[in-house]
Each structure stands twice: as C-alpha cells, then as structure tokens.
C-alpha cells in the first residue's frame, strides 16, 4: 500500500520512498523530515563549514567536548535531502562518543545509518565525513 504525504510530496511504499524522483530509504527521509541536533552552538570548542563545489551543498558542524567526549553537537545544512539526512545521522553517531571512537567513523557508517544512499546522492556521505575530519583536526588528541 502506498501513501502520499501532502507536506513533502513523497510517496512511501514499505521502507523505500520516492522524493523528487529519487529512491530514498525510510531512515534517510526520517532524518530529513525530523533532523536531529539541528542548529548551532553559540560557543563551540570547534566549528567547520564546508561546501561541495560540485553540487553546492553546504554543511556546518559545531561541537562542544567535555572530558574527551562529544557533549553537544549541532549542524546547519543547505542542500539536498541526502545532505541534510547524512548530517543529521552523523550527529547521532557522534553524540556522547569518545573522540577516539568518533575518529573511527567512516562514510560507510554514515551511509548505513541512513539506510543507504542512491548512487547520485553519494556525495552527501562524502561531505559529512569531510566536515567531520576537518572538525576533528581542530580538536586536541
């Protein structure tokens, strides 16, 4: 059975949904429609903003670290469904984790957290991890 969301214009069938003609997982659409940790930290320990020059997506991460753990993280994103979804999922993967654990996160971890990405949206996972690496470069140890 398919359902149509008037708010987003998406058609959902089981766990795979179509939005703007692309097939997205239910997890990715959930992160897009209900982003976690959206916003910006007023006085962060580190902040990074990057733009993907190929598509124009922009992602900004701000973080606060306490005792070697990610105590607070926020993101601002301007871009496609996948860019927003990957940013939201990345913050969930990072929150509460030790910096050593966060350093081990990969693009594959982000893609898995959003239930996969269409091939044409793969850049969103790369942007999320590129911003993560730049952010970690500003933090000690």
């Amino acid at each position: 059975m398919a359902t149509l969301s008037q708010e987003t214009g998406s058609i959902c069938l089981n766990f795979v949904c179509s939005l703007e003609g692309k097939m997205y997982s239910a997890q990715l659409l959930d992160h897009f429609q209900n982003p976690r940790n959206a916003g910006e930290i007023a006085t962060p320990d580190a902040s990074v903003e990057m733009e993907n020059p190929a598509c124009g997506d922009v992602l900004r991460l701000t973080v606060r670290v306490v005792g070697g753990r990610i105590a607070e993280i926020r993101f601002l994103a301007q871009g496609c469904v996948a860019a927003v979804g990957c940013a939201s999922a990345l913050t969930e993967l990072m929150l509460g984790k030790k910096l050593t654990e966060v350093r081990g996160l990969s693009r594959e971890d982000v893609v898995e957290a959003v239930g996969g990405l269409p091939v044409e949206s793969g850049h969103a996972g790369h942007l999320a991890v590129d911003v993560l690496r730049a952010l970690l470069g500003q933090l000690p140890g």
Side-chain angles (χ1 to χ4, degrees), residues 111-129:
V111 171
E112 182 179 323
V114 296
L117 289 172
V119 174
E120 63 271 15
S121 297
H123 64 280
H126 290 290
L127 179 61
V129 171

Side-chain angles (χ1 to χ4, degrees), residues 13-106:
L13 179 63
N14 294 331
F15 292 105
V16 180
C17 300
S18 175
L19 183 67
E20 299 171 0
K22 298 178 184 175
M23 297 305 286
Y24 295 116
S25 69
Q27 297 98 309
L28 179 67
L29 287 174
D30 183 49
H31 276 283
F32 173 71
Q33 294 168 340
N34 306 291
R36 281 63 145 189
N37 305 304
E40 191 167 18
I41 299 171
T43 55
D45 293 319
S47 69
V48 172
E49 179 173 309
M50 295 179 90
E51 179 178 353
N52 180 331
C55 66
D57 291 348
V58 179
L59 175 57
R60 178 176 179 81
L61 286 180
T62 53
V63 67
R64 195 171 53 80
V65 178
V66 176
R69 290 186 180 272
I70 304 295
E72 186 177 11
I73 183 160
R74 298 279 183 256
F75 81 94
L76 294 174
Q78 180 178 2
C80 66
V81 170
V84 173
C86 285
S88 172
L90 176 64
T91 66
E92 283 199 320
L93 290 170
M94 294 174 66
L95 189 60
K97 300 281 188 346
K98 293 180 183 179
L99 289 175
T100 54
E101 295 173 276
V102 172
R103 290 185 196 288
L105 290 175
S106 68

